[in-house]
Amino acid sequence: MQLSMLSIRRPVMTCLLMAFFTLFGILAYRALPVSELPQIDFPTINVTASLSGASPETMASAVATPLEGQLATISGIDNISSSSSQGITRITLQFDLDRNIDAAALDVQSALSSAQRKLPQNMTSSPSMRKSNPADAPVFLIALHSDSLPISTVTEYAESKLAQSLSMLPGVAQVSVYGSKPYAVRIQADPDKLTAHNLGLDELATAVADNNVNQPLGDLDGEFRSLSLKSNGQLKNAAAYRKLVVAYRNGAPLYLSSIANVLDSEENTRVASWFIDKPGIILAVQRQAGANTISTVDAVRQALPQFQSILPDSIQMDILYDRSESIRASIHDVQFTLLLSCALVVLVIWLFLRNLSATVIPALAVPLSVLGAVPVMYLLNYSLDNLSLLALTLAVGFVVDDAIVMMENIVRHMEQGMGAMQAARKGAREIGFTILSMTLSLIAVFIPLLFMGGLMGRLLHEFAVTISAAIAVSGLVSLTLTPMLCSRVLRAEQTTATQGRLSQWLERGFSTLTESYSVSLVAVLRHPRWVMFTFFVSMALTVLLYQQLPKDFLPSTDSGQITLTTKAAPDTSFATLSRMQQQVAEIVKADPNVAAFMSSVGSTGPNGSANGGSMTIRLVPREQRLSADQVIAELRQKVNHIPGLSVYLRNPPSIRIGGMSTASEYQFTVQSNDFNELTQWHDRFLTAIRAIPGLRDVTSDQEVVGAGLSVAVDRDKLASYGLTYSQVETALQSAFAARQVSTIYADTDQYAVILEVLPERQQQAADLSRIRVRNNDGVLISLDTVASFKRQPQTLTVNHLGTLPAATISFNMSSGMALGDALKALDQVKEELLPPASVVTSLQGSAAAFASSQSGMMVLLVLALLVVYGVLGMLYESFVHPLTILSGLPSAGLGALLTLWLFQFPVTLYAFVGILLLIGIVKKNAIMMIDFALDRERDGMTPDDAIHQACLVRFRPIMMTSIAALAGALPIALGYGAGAELRQPLGVSIVGGLLLSQIVTLYLTPVIYHYLAPWHAKLNFRS
């Protein structure tokens, strides 16, 4: 080729070109950010609104429904879901991958403003939004605790000093405060004393609000000076409220302390969190969609010393979890794997060539190709992550192939007596088209990946571009630097490789192997039908084995963190729930694999309902413990014996898909317009799914409490006694809903003044009869006079998906069960139950992504084959030769699947990528044979003689390139280091495919060539 001739003539130009590749590659490598995976976050916005004391049904109908109706009009929404529980509604909006998160946030804010007039007037907090996915795990957890200060003081430092400042750091979406207990003055009224003093709860609330005011008073503007007016209208603490006069009875003042307990307390007494066994506050830092985890964590860590300096000495700060540690370890191990692959490939080259200078020439292609791809990554805003580094590691075994083929052809001519310069020119001319064909056809394998959409496309796009760039650079290096160095470095005496006993032994062994191959090839060409029979058998076995092997989405990884979710009976009291949670904490604390953990109960942190709790557990360093899955298995046996408490453990996935936060990983949703029908069919599905063998931790977000108390007001009696429904609900809210009746305005924050009845008057239905409301005639009317009370089931949460009522059943799988098997079992359950058309079922999250990826992977494989066929057809101007080149693929696929089956790996996304890569690797062998055979046919040889000679001449480069590719993939297959769980199936599939296809294609390709050569002549349009 002209490019090779130019490089041989101008060595300085060639050297400088490679030097620039190296320089810019190093500079770009240092500038690339580091992350775990390519940017695949779905743009997600979380909307929260609260109405203190409102039931889940009220929150769903009065708050969630109008908000969802307005938000659903926004373009680009992929999924909208909501969860309404006592007093709070959370709505999660997930947009298409291509939607700009900032533009989406503006649309959401506009929709919230439009929906504001449809919401209740007395909202505790107006709808607010955050650009974060509530289902995403925090990237950084900070624990604050104190042995001497009250938890409300620790909360104040956490919320006003740390959380607000950390939220402003680059890459931070929000900082959630788990176990937050802001200071509040809590007024616990005694309903009997109120009745004795002829006072109603509504009057008490009014008295408190009227005596704690903070209004502008104006100023005095005299002739010479101006004076601002101030008053002592604010009451700052419980002591001041105790002296508050709420009424006069019998001419004497009635102080608040006479009818109520007034306490310096917390705003919410039904949440709690602990750092190990100490009460504390947890700050959970969530990154923005698209933000780099390591950069975000680094920014947080740099700010922590400044925050530590403003904390009192009595408040301790501990880092509970740092997500970047496992990412850095994983990236470090991939980098080590990359270097190990380079070393193994160079060793393979030396074993074949047994000459230092001859080894260095093709070995230079490895660093140059890898560094040449890095500037492309930089220009496309990629990062150094597991997939891009995996692409570079796999490229090590590919990029050296072109240089090996080029140099081997040149060395062969030198062994025949040519000088280095002449051999370089002739060898480059002969092999240039072969290298171009190998390079373009290998890149063609990845072209379909570039046009894939959705999650799979976003995940594999960076991988495809990175490895394609490395392959393209390797082709350039092989056509320029390799022939130039061969022409000036190699000497005729260096090509004989007769030095030393090891070299002689290796040479004799390879000569014997070549002779054996020649004899066996002659025998095979005499009986081609048996080879064709083997070919068709391998195709059938490949299809059959693929259908039988278990399918999965992504392997579980070990990030050094596991999560634990607890659920008690829906009517469990907060005190009982806290005791149960502490029992679990004692078990976790005693486990030697656990370094630290945070624990929370109540509606705080990741908990969605008041009857649950959660733990985030950090494990000790990897080398000192079992794997995360093994730790989960051990802990599950220990914690599942606590009566009345269900415990669910999870190994957080590396990719979180969907906006639903559930106790278990995989989600199955049931929907219906009729809530009663939804409940009925949800119960049927839940029972059936729990009976599926291999599924565990089956739970649901549709919880019904058996101890609900319904207040049925007789409206006729209500009117006859001169009362309104609003008075009744206000009285109930004041008594039992921790109603905020006033606000204390401090210098740096605001605190609530909360009214309720005594705790011992909030325990049974009879306590409602103690509540009295004043009617129009000034008479206190007992609540049981106008209302009756009865127990009935009550829903703890009301969930919507796509604005329709929904119930989500989540589940985990036992060890050894693949997601594909679980989904087949779910399909069988649907067929057996036969729900009506009004009941809709669907998969969510990772399960839905896996289901859609199955058809996508088959389409991808077919497209890759078609594109490679088209590229080869255009290069060889033949309809037939591409079929010959691709004939070795069934054996490669069979080898990959057999190896996965042997080592008990399911067919995951990474394993499928390995099978896809085999298309590019295996066809290289056939290209080298066929290209040489076509040249010999042009010289007058028969097709059978040409392919026989091609097989023998190309036997050494085929063995070198195949073993080099095998050596490049071997460190990945061995599964070394952090994150190896993701990479290992890919390496195993490549190694298995290469081992089998290497043997088969050496005999299959010449036989296919033998059969298809006549068809090439018939279908050749050239005259």
Side-chain angles (χ1 to χ4, degrees), residues 555-827:
S556 63
T557 56
D558 189 343
S559 62
Q561 176 198 19
I562 60 177
T563 60
L564 181 151
T565 303
T566 58
K567 278 191 177 183
D571 55 351
T572 304
S573 68
F574 176 75
T576 302
L577 179 64
S578 298
R579 286 195 299 270
M580 291 178 174
Q581 189 80 0
Q582 289 299 87
Q583 287 181 263
V584 178
E586 288 299 322
I587 295 173
V588 173
K589 180 182 177 182
D591 194 297
N593 299 293
V594 174
F597 62 92
M598 58 126 325
S599 175
S600 63
V601 291
S603 298
T604 182
N607 306 328
S609 59
N611 70 318
S614 67
M615 288 187 184
T616 299
I617 302 170
R618 174 166 59 88
L619 305 177
V620 298
R622 189 184 181 95
E623 60 275 7
Q624 302 173 19
R625 60 170 170 84
L626 304 172
S627 70
D629 290 333
Q630 291 173 318
V631 173
I632 287 175
E634 286 194 355
L635 280 176
R636 183 179 280 118
Q637 294 178 354
K638 298 176 183 177
V639 299
N640 277 338
H641 302 296
I642 299 176
L645 191 69
S646 299
V647 183
Y648 308 96
L649 290 121
R650 288 180 59 193
N651 183 3
S654 54
I655 302 175
R656 181 67 192 182
I657 303 171
M660 290 186 179
S661 182
T662 52
S664 301
E665 183 171 352
Y666 303 104
Q667 300 151 351
F668 175 81
T669 298
V670 184
Q671 289 180 272
S672 174
N673 276 319
D674 185 340
F675 189 78
N676 292 327
E677 183 182 47
L678 172 65
T679 303
Q680 174 188 357
W681 281 98
H682 158 267
D683 294 344
R684 293 185 184 179
F685 273 107
L686 183 61
T687 302
I689 292 174
R690 280 178 172 160
I692 297 175
L695 296 190
R696 63 174 16 146
D697 300 337
V698 180
T699 184
S700 170
D701 61 3
Q702 187 71 32
E703 296 173 314
V704 178
V705 56
L709 191 66
S710 173
V711 179
V713 177
D714 188 324
R715 294 182 181 270
D716 293 334
K717 286 185 178 181
L718 195 69
S720 67
Y721 280 102
L723 294 174
T724 64
Y725 208 103
S726 175
Q727 287 178 285
V728 174
E729 291 212 344
T730 301
L732 288 171
Q733 184 184 19
S734 300
F736 307 111
R739 178 187 174 194
Q740 181 176 343
V741 295
S742 188
T743 303
I744 299 172
Y745 296 95
D747 295 334
T748 59
D749 210 341
Q750 300 177 9
Y751 308 109
V753 180
I754 293 172
L755 176 63
E756 62 184 4
V757 297
L758 292 170
E760 58 267 26
R761 296 290 182 253
Q762 300 184 44
Q763 296 180 357
Q764 52 190 346
D767 292 328
L768 274 72
S769 302
R770 301 176 185 272
I771 307 303
R772 285 170 168 75
V773 185
R774 193 176 301 280
N775 68 2
N776 295 334
D777 298 328
V779 179
L780 288 177
I781 306 298
S782 175
L783 189 60
D784 60 357
T785 305
V786 296
S788 60
F789 319 117
K790 67 175 182 178
R791 295 177 182 270
Q792 69 177 31
Q794 180 180 338
T795 302
L796 282 185
T797 58
V798 176
N799 302 289
H800 291 173
L801 179 64
T803 72
L804 293 179
T808 299
I809 299 169
S810 60
F811 59 90
N812 291 327
M813 296 175 299
S814 302
S815 178
M817 187 179 193
L819 182 55
D821 297 333
L823 297 192
K824 287 180 182 177
L826 288 178
D827 289 337

Side-chain angles (χ1 to χ4, degrees), residues 250-501:
N250 300 321
L254 180 63
Y255 293 102
L256 184 58
S257 58
S258 301
I259 56 174
N261 293 339
V262 186
L263 309 172
D264 289 314
S265 181
E266 296 95 27
E267 189 172 316
N268 191 348
T269 57
R270 296 183 183 180
V271 299
S273 65
W274 299 267
F275 174 65
I276 306 180
D277 54 359
K278 299 177 181 178
I281 301 296
I282 308 298
L283 296 173
V285 180
Q286 283 188 302
R287 65 179 179 88
Q288 292 180 358
N292 183 270
T293 298
I294 290 182
S295 300
T296 302
V297 169
D298 286 344
V300 172
R301 279 191 173 274
Q302 290 174 6
L304 285 185
Q306 178 185 353
F307 296 141
Q308 182 76 63
S309 65
I310 64 176
L311 291 177
D313 294 337
S314 54
I315 296 181
Q316 288 80 47
M317 177 190 294
D318 293 288
I319 296 175
L320 172 61
Y321 177 67
D322 181 350
R323 181 71 180 93
S324 69
E325 290 179 354
S326 61
I327 296 176
R328 295 178 207 268
S330 178
I331 297 300
H332 177 268
D333 288 332
V334 178
Q335 290 170 330
F336 174 79
T337 303
L338 174 60
L339 294 176
L340 182 59
S341 296
C342 292
L344 289 175
V345 168
V346 172
L347 177 62
V348 169
I349 298 171
W350 182 84
L351 288 174
F352 273 90
L353 301 179
R354 304 175 301 283
N355 179 275
L356 182 61
S357 58
T359 301
V360 169
I361 293 174
L364 284 174
V366 175
L368 287 172
S369 301
V370 170
L371 290 173
V374 175
V376 177
M377 297 170 57
Y378 178 78
L379 292 174
L380 295 175
N381 294 321
Y382 291 166
S383 61
L384 287 176
D385 52 59
N386 276 298
L387 275 178
S388 61
L389 284 173
L390 188 60
L392 294 177
T393 304
L394 289 170
V396 168
F398 304 156
V399 299
V400 76
D401 291 0
D402 298 338
I404 288 175
V405 172
M406 173 66 77
M407 196 193 72
E408 190 277 337
N409 201 48
I410 294 172
V411 168
R412 185 168 56 85
H413 288 300
M414 294 179 68
E415 289 174 345
Q416 294 171 358
M418 286 188 183
M421 182 65 68
Q422 184 183 3
R425 291 177 182 274
K426 183 175 182 181
R429 276 195 299 268
E430 288 179 347
I431 210 70
F433 182 76
T434 302
I435 291 176
L436 181 64
S437 301
M438 291 165 57
T439 302
L440 292 180
S441 60
L442 184 53
I443 292 175
V445 173
F446 304 102
I447 290 178
L449 291 177
L450 304 180
F451 296 96
M452 282 192 67
L455 177 71
M456 274 188 61
R458 186 67 66 93
L459 188 65
L460 298 177
H461 186 277
E462 187 170 318
F463 176 88
V465 171
T466 302
I467 198 169
S468 297
I471 292 167
V473 174
S474 77
L476 180 63
V477 171
S478 303
L479 293 173
T480 55
L481 182 66
T482 302
M484 186 275 291
L485 289 177
C486 287
S487 68
R488 284 164 171 80
V489 175
L490 289 183
R491 295 291 180 266
E493 63 272 11
Q494 292 176 333
T495 63
T496 58
T498 57
Q499 315 92 310
R501 294 182 178 179

